[in-house]
Amino acid sequence: MSHRLFALLLLLFAGCQLFAQPATDFIYLNQVGFYPGAPKIAVVQTGDELPFFLCRVGSGDTVFRGQLSPARSGEYSGQALRQADFTSFQEAGQYQLCVAGVGRSHPFDIQPRVHLSVANAALKGYYFQRVSSALPEAYAGIWSREAGHPDDAVLVHPSAASPGRPAGTVISSPRGWYDAGDYNKYIVNSGITMGTMLSLLEDFPATAEALQPGIPEQGNTLPDLLDELLWNLRWMLTMQDPGDGGVYHKLTNPSFGPLAQMPANAVGTRFVVRKSTVAALDFAAVTAQASRVCRPWLPSLADSCLAAAERAWAWAIANPAELYRQEAMNRAFDPDVETGAYGDGSVKDEWIWAAAELFVTTGNSQYYLANPMFPDAAMPLPSWSQVRLLGYYTLLRHESRLGEEGKRDLPKLKRQLLAVADSMAAGARLRSTGTVMGGSPKDFEWGSNAVAANQGLLLVQAWRLSQDQRYAEAALSNLDYLLGRNVTGYCFLTGFGGKQVMHPHHRPSEGDGILAPVPGLLSGGPNPGQEDKCEGYPTTLPDACFVDDACSYASNEIAINWNAPFVYLAAAMEAIWGK
């Protein structure tokens, strides 16, 4: 036997023997899995030039072997990182990646509909956030709970008083979703959340309508995704003052309350607080879009939504600078409110989003012409305080419905969006992890995992425009990032992966006495800001500054606006790759 053959057999034996060892923290890959025909990349932290082996779970048989790529320095750590590319292997099954001297990865699947389970789970995450409803065991399993916050006797805060509803007026405003780890409801954050998931129904209707998360409404005539959205939409409609069309900024307790407290035990007076221009415009955008989406199934609700949108727009026109300033409000009115402010110093982007939705829904060019739709060439990623791109996405997806005004601007809009997508895709190919996420330290902010998901969403829009597979591959790289191909090694969606998030900043998960957190919730992700001052952060490096601890609301909270682009991205990848 030649020395070369002996060496190869020895490495092969070593690779298979690794199957019996615990999973290592130095192989980063999507811990859910890969589509047979899509790219399959893992990242290995090692300075050595080594072969890698793909081993079948159960038998330990080696089914594929390859060579790690040349080392690249991690952009923030300087650690040597190498990629293992097994794209050419397409046989369905469950596997682990083994690297002699490093270890074996967490197990993963290769199969056609590999991300359907995470799309359904992330959608069901909203069911677990439902307000004013018990979650019975038949649908919630071990996370069943009593109803909390009926919100049928909510007081009008003095800051929100109007002639028809003076301070102390009792109104009913049930349903909706708990916003994040707390028990309050916010119109602004509901805005981007609803807009993102309504867009999924418009962009990939067949995939969106086929989602089956397992909610009580399953089996009726509506898609389950729409059923879940209606739970929040119907709450949003109650937040509009019927007297003037203005929209309350939020429904809230005065303060957050204890962390380990279940909804049914979190009693106390609830208020609707101050009307704001941002809330009115986010509301107008959502209800205008909902009018389009609901019309095939619920035409009466579609009519009501459009009327509500037009009234909110008219209120915003009459009140263009009613900004939410919580500290100033607390100096003027009692009781003080200390919960999430969602204060936004600029409403330019909200005007763009609301105008786009109303323009497309009504065909009335007055909305498009009311304010500058393209104040500059920027394409800022969506966030609760920056919703311009939601309006641009709507213009792009409804090109056939635009009048002369809209069609005149479309070529410029397409060029600008594709230029951003080109930069993202090119950057991913050069990056040590091969992901779009991480191209700038600014990616790692509060809610950085939503940045990754929204980067993926932008790339999906570019793919829809061009059908260029580069964009689909780049979008998939960020789903891989969220599910494990990141230097923390965590799969960031609760309930999934070999290295799971177990202690999110989430009141029901802390208060229910169950070890496993509520599933289907996207953790916030690395955040070097560490605003929570929680102990235990392993590093200040931007891409690794994460701690799985309930005290870490800066890196490990959950939020409805972070789950939404994840639902969209996972479902879009199913539509594009899962055939």
Side-chain angles (χ1 to χ4, degrees):
M1 181 183 297
S2 71
H3 291 297
R4 179 179 175 82
L5 179 58
F6 178 77
L8 286 172
L9 289 173
L10 185 63
L11 284 170
L12 179 62
F13 176 75
C16 294
Q17 286 296 100
L18 287 171
F19 185 77
Q21 299 176 8
T24 179
D25 282 338
F26 299 107
I27 299 178
Y28 315 122
L29 49 62
N30 183 330
Q31 295 165 29
V32 175
F34 303 88
Y35 299 106
K40 305 175 192 69
I41 304 290
V43 175
V44 182
Q45 184 178 316
T46 179
D48 298 323
E49 297 182 10
L50 295 168
F52 68 87
F53 307 89
L54 210 59
C55 300
R56 193 182 302 277
V57 170
S59 68
D61 293 343
T62 295
V63 295
F64 181 88
R65 62 178 178 266
Q67 188 74 23
L68 297 180
S69 71
R72 294 176 178 173
S73 293
E75 285 75 13
Y76 305 102
S77 68
Q79 293 281 359
L81 299 176
R82 298 173 184 269
Q83 294 182 16
D85 187 338
F86 50 104
T87 299
S88 61
F89 183 79
Q90 299 191 8
E91 183 180 342
Q94 188 176 42
Y95 304 96
Q96 288 176 290
L97 189 77
C98 303
V99 182
V102 178
R104 66 180 179 88
S105 74
H106 295 286
F108 57 87
D109 291 329
I110 296 176
Q111 63 180 32
R113 310 294 303 196
V114 73
H115 293 116
L116 182 59
S117 60
V118 295
N120 277 321
L123 175 55
K124 190 163 184 174
Y126 289 92
Y127 170 73
F128 287 112
Q129 291 292 96
R130 285 190 185 186
V131 186
S132 314
S133 175
L135 306 185
E137 186 177 356
Y139 300 101
I142 60 173
W143 299 280
S144 63
R145 60 168 171 82
E146 298 176 54
H149 304 96
D151 286 343
D152 54 1
V154 177
L155 301 185
V156 174
H157 191 265
S159 66
S162 64
R165 287 182 168 181
T169 299
V170 179
I171 69 169
S172 180
S173 188
R175 299 193 183 194
W177 300 312
Y178 294 123
D179 179 69
D182 62 295
Y183 290 142
N184 305 301
K185 303 185 285 191
Y186 307 85
I187 285 292
V188 171
N189 214 34
S190 278
I192 185 172
T193 303
M194 293 289 289
T196 300
M197 293 206 293
L198 286 166
S199 296
L200 177 58
L201 277 161
E202 294 197 283
D203 289 346
F204 298 100
T207 300
E209 291 171 27
L211 292 175
Q212 296 181 320
I215 59 176
E217 296 83 0
Q218 64 188 18
N220 66 12
T221 59
L222 302 181
D224 288 353
L225 172 55
L226 183 56
D227 277 318
E228 193 56 57
L229 294 176
L230 290 176
W231 191 267
N232 200 63
L233 177 65
R234 289 190 164 118
W235 163 68
M236 292 183 72
L237 291 169
T238 70
M239 292 288 283
Q240 185 173 46
D241 185 339
D244 62 13
V247 179
Y248 303 117
H249 197 78
K250 60 180 175 177
L251 190 160
T252 184
N253 294 100
S255 60
F256 284 117
L259 178 58
Q261 186 179 55
M262 294 300 287
N265 299 326
V267 296
T269 305
R270 308 262 278 179
F271 296 90
V272 288
V273 179
R274 189 171 173 78
K275 297 166 189 171
S276 74
T277 309
V278 169
L281 291 171
D282 282 343
F283 175 97
V286 167
T287 49
Q289 187 179 16
S291 177
R292 289 197 307 273
V293 172
C294 289
R295 189 160 296 283
W297 294 285
L298 301 165
S300 295
L301 178 61
D303 291 341
S304 297
C305 284
L306 182 55
E310 292 174 328
R311 295 199 70 218
W313 173 272
W315 186 92
I317 291 286
N319 300 272
E322 287 296 320
L323 302 180
Y324 186 81
R325 295 285 185 261
Q326 192 154 282
E327 290 184 5
M329 182 188 76
N330 286 340
R331 289 193 293 269
F333 302 104
D334 290 320
D336 284 1
V337 176
E338 301 171 352
T339 53
Y342 288 106
D344 193 343
S346 171
V347 295
K348 291 180 180 178
D349 54 302
E350 284 83 9
W351 282 115
I352 291 170
W353 182 28
E357 300 298 347
L358 279 160
F359 175 49
V360 166
T361 300
T362 66
N364 188 335
S365 62
Q366 69 165 330
Y367 296 112
Y368 193 85
L369 300 174
N371 290 279
M373 292 294 286
F374 299 92
D376 53 50
M379 293 277 127
L381 280 180
S383 67
W384 65 261
S385 61
Q386 179 50 259
V387 292
R388 183 201 303 194
L389 246 64
L390 299 185
Y392 292 171
Y393 294 160
T394 286
L395 296 177
L396 291 169
R397 72 172 56 99
H398 291 291
E399 180 174 358
S400 63
R401 302 178 67 166
L402 303 184
E404 179 182 343
E405 301 86 353
K407 289 182 178 179
R408 181 180 59 241
D409 292 323
L410 271 183
K412 174 178 65 177
L413 175 55
K414 290 178 180 179
R415 286 196 304 272
Q416 291 175 356
L417 187 134
L418 290 175
V420 174
D422 284 340
S423 177
M424 287 183 176
R429 290 193 295 272
L430 299 173
R431 203 153 295 128
S432 60
T433 57
T435 62
V436 173
M437 181 61 177
S440 166
K442 294 180 181 179
D443 286 355
F444 301 102
E445 60 182 19
W446 200 325
S448 64
N449 283 341
V451 173
N454 274 304
Q455 289 172 341
L457 203 157
L458 185 149
L459 287 156
V460 170
Q461 298 304 315
W463 176 85
R464 294 184 68 248
L465 277 176
S466 66
Q467 298 296 296
D468 189 328
Q469 205 70 355
R470 290 180 304 129
Y471 302 134
E473 291 177 0
L476 184 60
S477 80
N478 269 21
L479 186 58
D480 286 348
Y481 169 91
L482 292 168
L483 297 176
R485 202 211 303 182
N486 61 78
V487 298
T488 75
Y490 277 99
C491 181
F492 284 119
L493 189 72
T494 57
F496 287 84
K499 186 177 181 180
Q500 299 189 6
V501 171
M502 295 298 293
H503 306 286
H505 183 89
H506 180 239
R507 279 166 171 76
S509 293
E510 278 296 290
D512 61 11
I514 298 167
L515 178 62
V518 170
L521 304 177
L522 185 67
S523 172
N527 173 19
Q530 300 185 25
E531 292 86 352
D532 47 46
K533 309 303 181 188
C534 184
E535 296 181 1
Y537 283 94
T539 179
T540 58
L541 294 173
D543 57 346
C545 195
F546 172 82
V547 59
D548 183 19
D549 192 312
C551 77
S552 183
Y553 55 80
S555 78
N556 202 27
E557 191 169 10
I558 63 90
I560 57 173
N561 63 309
W562 301 342
N563 253 57
F566 182 91
V567 172
Y568 183 105
L569 181 59
M573 295 299 93
E574 282 291 297
I576 296 169
W577 294 105
K579 300 172 183 177

